[in-house]
């Protein structure tokens, strides 16, 4: 693909579901037809992290798609995709991945396409996004800075209950530092570092929260549409923090997503040097 040129600020989106977005991309509504593009490389990454002072080991798996000058990424649950995906999918036409691949690989391919059409750095250059530099340093320093940047998208009253769909302990602390009371929800954790109970019932949190912060992992496990629709129906802010599908989540700004912290690959945990994430807000903010 040719080098993208700067685009105007993002207009409110009209898409309402992930499948609807994929269908629009396949039809050429967002740029070149995916059938004319090839996923040059597909990557499978598995790593573990335990931050100092914590008792939780986070185990993360990602599938990545390289398209032109961009990467798309999506986390997945253990055992959902194995390393053979690299051999089987590298060099595949992008439309085939969007139609036929396992869901996380479909999201990664969609993310790569949307990132190539409009890189986050281009959005920052046109004032559609705010570039935030994460400092060089230890994993703890970088995680704290990242999660403070995410929580900085919250505009809430003191004591407001904030649903947290996808739990990382530094983000729990960052929400509290903003005056919120986290309502943590996760499929793999039972308690936060401070002993707060973590529910696995997303609907309980979505019915109670005054604002919601959700991870891009919701794109991978298929719960994103539910979170989006519920927040839109209730008229509450939805902030997405996305390594998975950061450009995919961006497509829903103004259509349920009110703010986004987008962290394209290489993700912060893969570097000890300065890296950049991008914060987006709809008109009126979060």
């Amino acid at each position: 693909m040719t080098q993208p040129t700067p685009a105007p600020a993002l207009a409110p989106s009209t898409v309402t579901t992930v499948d609807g977005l994929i269908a629009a991309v396949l039809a050429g509504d967002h740029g070149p037809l995916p059938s004319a593009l090839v996923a040059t490389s597909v990557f499978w990454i598995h790593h573990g992290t335990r931050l100092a002072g914590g008792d939780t080991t986070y185990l993360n798996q990602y599938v990545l798609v390289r398209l032109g000058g961009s990467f798309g990424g999506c986390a997945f649950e253990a055992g959902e995709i194995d390393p053979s995906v690299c051999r089987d999918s590298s060099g595949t036409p992008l439309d085939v991945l969007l139609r036929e691949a396992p869901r996380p690989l479909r999201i990664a391919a969609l993310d790569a396409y949307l990132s190539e059409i409009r890189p986050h750095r281009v959005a920052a250059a046109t004032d559609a996004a705010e570039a935030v530099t994460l400092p060089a340093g230890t994993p703890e320093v970088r995680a704290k800075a990242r999660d403070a940047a995410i929580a900085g998208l919250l505009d809430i009253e003191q004591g407001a209950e904030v649903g947290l769909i996808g739990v990382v302990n530094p983000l729990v602390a960052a929400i509290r530092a903003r005056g919120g009371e986290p309502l943590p929800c996760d499929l793999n954790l039972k308690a936060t570092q401070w002993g707060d109970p973590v529910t696995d019932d997303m609907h309980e949190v979505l019915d109670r929260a005054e604002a919601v912060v959700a991870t891009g992992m919701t794109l991978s496990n298929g719960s994103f549409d539910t979170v989006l629709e519920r927040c839109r129906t209730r008229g509450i802010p939805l902030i997405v923090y996305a390594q998975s599908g950061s450009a995919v989540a961006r497509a829903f700004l103004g259509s349920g997503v009110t703010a986004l912290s987008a962290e394209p690959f290489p993700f912060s945990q893969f570097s000890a040097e300065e890296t950049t994430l991008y914060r987006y807000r709809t008109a009126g903010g979060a």
Side-chain angles (χ1 to χ4, degrees), residues 12-217:
S13 174
T14 58
V15 296
T16 58
T17 67
V18 174
D19 283 349
L21 177 60
I22 291 175
V25 166
L26 285 168
D29 294 348
H30 289 260
L33 286 170
S35 57
L37 307 173
V38 172
T40 306
S41 300
V42 173
F43 305 77
W44 183 95
I45 299 177
H46 186 180
H47 74 92
T49 298
R50 178 174 288 198
L51 297 175
D55 58 1
T56 300
T57 300
Y58 301 99
L59 297 176
N60 300 110
Q61 298 80 213
Y62 298 93
V63 62
L64 304 169
V65 171
R66 178 73 181 268
L67 175 67
S70 299
F71 290 85
C74 188
F76 59 90
E77 295 290 351
E80 197 172 0
I81 295 176
D82 65 49
S84 65
V85 71
C86 304
R87 178 191 64 239
D88 296 341
S89 299
S90 295
T92 299
L94 200 68
D95 68 313
V96 174
L97 296 184
L98 290 173
R99 296 179 195 277
E100 302 176 8
R103 184 176 182 87
L105 182 50
R106 293 175 71 203
I107 295 298
L110 180 63
D111 190 39
Y113 178 91
L114 295 173
S115 294
E116 180 71 357
I117 295 304
R118 186 186 176 92
H120 294 294
R121 65 180 179 275
V122 172
T126 57
D127 296 324
E130 171 196 6
V132 177
T133 300
L134 301 181
T138 66
E140 293 75 21
V141 165
R142 288 172 57 73
K144 184 176 180 180
R146 179 199 64 202
D147 293 338
I150 296 167
L153 292 167
L154 281 168
D155 183 12
I156 53 175
E157 299 288 338
Q158 187 73 25
E161 294 185 312
V162 179
L164 180 57
I165 311 296
V167 176
V168 289
N169 285 313
L171 187 50
V172 173
I175 290 171
R176 285 207 168 102
R178 293 286 295 181
E181 183 57 41
L183 301 176
C185 175
D186 198 284
L187 295 177
N188 297 311
L189 295 178
K190 298 301 181 185
T192 71
Q193 179 180 339
W194 302 275
D196 309 287
V198 177
T199 182
D200 60 2
D201 186 348
M202 177 181 68
H203 300 284
E204 171 189 329
V205 169
L206 293 175
D207 287 344
R208 179 177 166 185
E210 298 167 70
V212 171
V213 180
T215 176
M217 184 66 180

